[in-house]
Amino acid sequence: MAATQQEARSCARTPKRTNMASFNKIESRNDPENDPFRSKYKARELLREIYCSAGLRAAKLGAVEYYLGVNHVDTEELPAGQEHLMNCMKLLERCRVSSLNVSLFIHVRNQLGILWAGRDETETAQGFLETAESIYQRYMKEDGSPPTDMTEYFAAEESLLTHQERIKRFELAYTHTMYYLAQVYKNLGQTERAATYCHTTLQRQLQLNQFTPMEWALNAATLSQYYITKGRYMEGRHCLSAATVISDLAGEVPSEAAAQENEAESERREHLRQKRAEIARCWIKYCLNLLQDAKKQLEDNIGELDTDRQEELKRARRREEEEEEKGRKSALLFGSEDTFDSIASIEEKVMCLFPLDFTEARSVFLVGQNHVTQAKDYFQMDGYVTDHIEILQDHSALFRSLAFFEEDLERRCKMHKRRVDMLEPICNDLNAQYYLMIRRQLMFELAETYNEMMDLKLALANRQADTQSLDNHTIKKFNHLCSASAKYFQMFLDSLCSPEGKFPERLEEEVLRPALVARFRVARLHSRFISTSPTVQLDNLNKSLENYKYVVQYCEANPEAGATVETELELSKEMAGLLPLKINRLKARMASNN
């Protein structure tokens, strides 16, 4: 049995010196017949008292070494700190783990884990921390009573801790073990294990009421991003909902007027606005990934909505909802009596199952768009160029994902126009020297967006062309979109050229696929321009052939490139064979008309 407070105090008393062998012989002669082992039991108690006293002495000396170790680590004298912490370990090796010393056993291994992790000796740190974890688990299984805290070794009797306070401190030490192990597993690349330990740490911090609201909230929001990448949207939503609720515990953002008058209020305003904006960005990623993953489930082989698949998934929805409810019951949920209902209330406002139609997709889109507004309010173009543009790109991607679910082609086209309106001014205003990579991303996205709008306009026109041919307005609109798409693809390609304007002979790996796809798209776009002028037609066909041939020739010269653009390469080969025939027919017709 573990020592109680009274037993711990009795352990502190120094036992009388006694020759145990003589004691046993003499006393055993006086044992009454009805209690023949009385002296043996008495000897056992005395031995226990001696052992207890020796254990307490080792624990006290170990605690001194521990505090010296921490002191040296805090002053960045790491070798001395390590020496004292290892001395503590050696002293404890003489003792069995008990309620008297288990807290020290865990604390010293936590500190050694931190020390070795700081030296990038991750596996060494892992060993100390996993041992601390197993000591805690074994102690809780075999004993479980509130253990003595290290501070009590040197405290007066009236200053000894209550059982409740002992438990809280012991559990907090183990929470630190969980936290440090989460970092270790992350550094070792064991992401799933790291996420599990991080989740457990956050839950325990709430239970023990030992957390800083905004720091906790940001950690929970960050954890959500892991769950999202694994398609575990229920857990991701739960983390984000908890992050939102707990971040509110940090209080209201000071007004701008108050911040101008007080430096502390100014710093607090900046801190709260930034952290809440970062949490908002995590919400944006949640909504965007949920829509994108739903699209992957629902699209056919040409990227359109597969209605048969849609109906199949709708029929399976009831089973998914039942699984979600089971998952909630078995999941490690955050919250206390004060926060649990608030977290659940936020969860109810956004789904975690894949949206299967426009109405469901729009509800997810609107949540994401609300957080875009919140994030942009802090990460403004003036001061946060990169962050602001990344948020705009996510907003654009939200519109693109929503457009997939929209059956009305005209409305779908307007969604893509919104994307152009938000990205085009930024792309044209950015400094090409300082923001080259971002401009390339924007140019490529604008080219693809105009391309999608062009396809939609043509599809709309073809629906009407059953009874009439394309009118001049439609042709002009189609050519404008075709020209805009080709312009931005060409701008992207031009950005790869040297200062002298020469296109690279060999493309860098990070731009290989985008560059070849851009060439392929430019070829396709030039072949789609609508014109009644044979001269213009011939010029466009020649430009188209030139770009198709580039894709084919580059992949022949660099065979490894073909694997990155298999579909485009196959079509380019086909068009490079067909277009010369078409060009020759056009030339022949032009010659006969002269």
Side-chain angles (χ1 to χ4, degrees):
M1 294 294 290
T4 62
Q5 288 184 3
Q6 186 176 354
E7 287 170 332
R9 290 194 295 272
S10 70
C11 283
R13 295 196 299 268
T14 305
K16 297 173 184 176
R17 295 182 179 274
T18 311
N19 184 317
M20 293 306 300
S22 301
F23 179 90
N24 275 332
K25 287 180 181 179
I26 295 167
E27 288 294 313
S28 63
R29 295 174 190 161
N30 300 324
D31 289 342
E33 289 184 11
N34 59 351
D35 190 6
F37 301 123
R38 183 175 66 181
S39 60
K40 302 294 183 184
Y41 294 138
K42 194 172 180 181
R44 185 186 298 172
E45 291 302 317
L46 186 57
L47 287 166
R48 281 179 175 167
E49 193 172 346
I50 294 168
Y51 182 87
C52 191
S53 177
L56 180 61
R57 183 173 180 277
K60 282 184 175 182
L61 289 172
V64 171
E65 291 285 359
Y66 170 82
Y67 285 124
L68 281 169
V70 172
N71 179 282
H72 281 87
V73 170
D74 289 344
T75 56
E76 299 181 8
E77 299 168 86
L78 301 187
Q82 179 186 337
E83 183 181 349
H84 284 294
L85 291 171
M86 290 306 296
N87 287 343
C88 174
M89 290 271 289
K90 289 172 186 173
L91 285 163
L92 290 176
E93 283 173 4
R94 305 172 190 173
C95 313
R96 65 178 179 83
V97 175
S98 70
S99 64
L100 201 62
N101 57 29
V102 65
S103 180
L104 182 56
F105 265 93
I106 290 171
H107 274 286
V108 70
R109 283 168 174 80
N110 282 352
Q111 286 296 328
L112 284 163
I114 298 167
L115 189 146
W116 285 103
R119 294 169 169 170
D120 292 328
E121 295 282 351
T122 310
E123 291 180 354
T124 305
Q126 178 187 4
F128 283 114
L129 293 167
E130 286 182 346
T131 303
E133 179 186 23
S134 65
I135 288 171
Y136 170 87
Q137 291 173 344
R138 189 169 67 249
Y139 177 79
M140 293 303 290
K141 182 180 179 181
E142 296 176 359
D143 191 321
S145 62
T148 304
D149 188 71
M150 294 183 298
T151 57
E152 295 183 275
Y153 297 156
F154 314 104
E157 187 171 334
E158 61 272 14
S159 301
L160 295 177
L161 303 176
T162 63
H163 280 203
Q164 189 174 4
E165 186 60 33
R166 280 182 170 187
I167 291 169
K168 184 175 180 178
R169 293 195 184 190
F170 185 54
E171 293 297 338
L172 189 58
Y174 180 60
T175 301
H176 289 152
T177 307
M178 296 287 97
Y179 175 79
Y180 303 136
L181 276 171
Q183 314 308 311
V184 162
Y185 293 138
K186 180 183 177 183
N187 292 335
L188 289 172
Q190 299 177 26
T191 51
E192 185 172 352
R193 208 170 181 188
T196 301
Y197 276 74
C198 182
H199 198 125
T200 303
T201 299
L202 291 169
Q203 186 204 35
R204 291 176 65 85
Q205 286 175 336
L206 282 184
Q207 289 172 340
L208 295 167
N209 196 27
Q210 292 289 318
F211 62 94
T212 304
M214 199 54 78
E215 181 184 344
W216 190 98
L218 201 58
N219 285 335
T222 304
L223 178 60
S224 76
Q225 304 304 284
Y226 165 78
Y227 287 130
I228 290 167
T229 60
K230 297 298 181 183
R232 294 167 62 179
Y233 287 99
M234 187 187 76
E235 290 94 332
R237 180 185 66 174
H238 184 65
C239 287
L240 285 168
S241 300
T244 300
V245 170
I246 300 301
S247 71
D248 287 344
L249 299 180
E252 293 185 9
V253 176
S255 67
E256 200 166 349
Q260 288 175 351
E261 293 176 7
N262 185 300
E263 187 177 345
E265 286 293 276
S266 175
E267 289 178 1
R268 185 165 177 272
R269 173 182 166 81
E270 174 73 10
H271 175 74
L272 292 179
R273 290 183 68 233
Q274 180 184 348
K275 299 308 178 188
R276 284 177 178 154
E278 288 173 3
I279 293 169
R281 293 184 71 177
C282 291
W283 269 113
I284 296 167
K285 293 295 185 185
Y286 171 89
C287 296
L288 179 56
N289 279 269
L290 185 62
L291 288 170
Q292 289 175 336
D293 283 354
K295 178 177 179 288
K296 290 173 188 174
Q297 292 279 320
L298 290 164
E299 65 185 351
D300 57 22
N301 57 1
I302 58 168
E304 291 296 318
L305 181 65
D306 185 333
T307 52
D308 291 337
R309 177 68 174 152
Q310 184 183 40
E311 288 305 313
E312 179 188 335
L313 290 172
K314 282 185 175 181
R315 287 193 296 271
R317 170 61 67 81
R318 183 181 296 275
R319 186 172 67 251
E320 285 185 30
E321 288 171 345
E322 290 171 358
E323 288 297 319
E324 180 195 355
E325 187 58 33
K326 284 181 187 174
R328 275 191 61 80
K329 288 176 181 175
S330 63
L332 204 60
L333 299 179
F334 295 134
S336 59
E337 291 180 5
D338 298 332
T339 59
F340 192 85
D341 289 342
S342 301
I343 293 170
S345 175
I346 292 177
E347 286 180 302
E348 289 170 4
K349 294 175 184 176
V350 58
M351 61 195 305
C352 67
L353 298 177
F354 290 141
L356 299 179
D357 55 34
F358 180 78
T359 302
E360 290 182 349
R362 184 172 179 272
S363 72
V364 176
F365 169 85
L366 289 175
V367 172
Q369 185 166 251
N370 287 339
H371 286 100
V372 165
T373 303
Q374 184 182 352
K376 283 198 303 183
D377 182 55
Y378 179 79
F379 292 107
Q380 297 184 9
M381 194 69 177
D382 183 15
Y384 295 98
V385 175
T386 304
D387 292 294
H388 185 84
I389 292 172
E390 285 177 0
I391 293 165
L392 287 182
Q393 288 174 303
D394 284 343
H395 196 187
S396 170
L398 282 168
F399 270 110
R400 183 181 185 184
S401 298
L402 180 63
F404 169 80
F405 292 88
E406 176 56 75
E407 296 178 7
D408 186 304
L409 298 186
E410 192 67 52
R411 286 172 61 185
R412 194 190 294 186
C413 200
K414 287 177 180 177
M415 290 180 192
H416 290 306
K417 181 65 168 63
R418 288 284 302 274
R419 296 172 62 201
V420 168
D421 291 344
M422 71 174 73
L423 296 180
E424 199 165 43
I426 299 287
C427 180
N428 293 330
D429 290 345
L430 273 181
N431 184 302
Q433 181 180 350
Y434 294 115
Y435 299 105
L436 176 62
M437 298 304 294
I438 294 174
R439 283 195 81 235
R440 283 178 180 169
Q441 292 173 11
L442 294 174
M443 288 185 290
F444 201 93
E445 183 170 352
L446 282 164
E448 287 191 315
T449 307
Y450 274 119
N451 193 69
E452 289 182 68
M453 291 171 68
M454 180 195 71
D455 287 339
L456 287 168
K457 285 294 181 186
L458 187 61
L460 275 167
N462 287 337
R463 286 185 182 179
Q464 299 163 356
D466 294 338
T467 55
Q468 58 185 18
S469 60
L470 296 178
D471 58 47
N472 287 336
H473 174 75
T474 302
I475 292 172
K476 187 177 179 181
K477 184 68 176 175
F478 176 84
N479 282 345
H480 165 71
L481 295 171
C482 193
S483 176
S485 181
K487 179 186 81 171
Y488 280 108
F489 274 128
Q490 192 59 53
M491 283 172 64
F492 172 82
L493 291 167
D494 291 344
S495 76
L496 303 175
C497 294
S498 67
E500 295 75 35
K502 185 181 178 183
F503 197 76
E505 291 185 12
R506 189 174 180 86
L507 295 162
E508 296 292 333
E509 187 177 350
E510 62 268 18
V511 297
L512 175 62
R513 175 170 167 76
L516 292 176
V517 168
R519 284 279 195 172
F520 171 80
R521 295 282 179 82
V522 168
R524 181 173 173 269
L525 287 162
H526 277 295
S527 68
R528 298 187 70 185
F529 275 108
I530 301 173
S531 176
T532 55
S533 165
T535 305
V536 173
Q537 289 176 12
L538 183 61
D539 183 50
N540 281 325
L541 287 174
N542 279 324
K543 287 178 180 176
S544 180
L545 178 60
E546 177 189 339
N547 281 284
Y548 280 130
K549 286 172 72 175
Y550 175 86
V551 175
V552 174
Q553 290 168 1
Y554 186 89
C555 291
E556 285 175 351
N558 304 276
E560 71 282 357
T564 66
V565 285
E566 288 181 355
T567 304
E568 291 82 1
L569 177 58
E570 185 180 343
L571 290 170
S572 294
K573 287 178 179 177
E574 184 180 339
M575 294 306 295
L578 293 173
L579 277 180
L581 301 175
K582 191 173 182 179
I583 288 170
N584 288 335
R585 283 199 301 269
L586 179 59
K587 284 181 177 178
R589 194 163 66 247
M590 290 172 68
S592 65
N593 289 337
N594 288 335

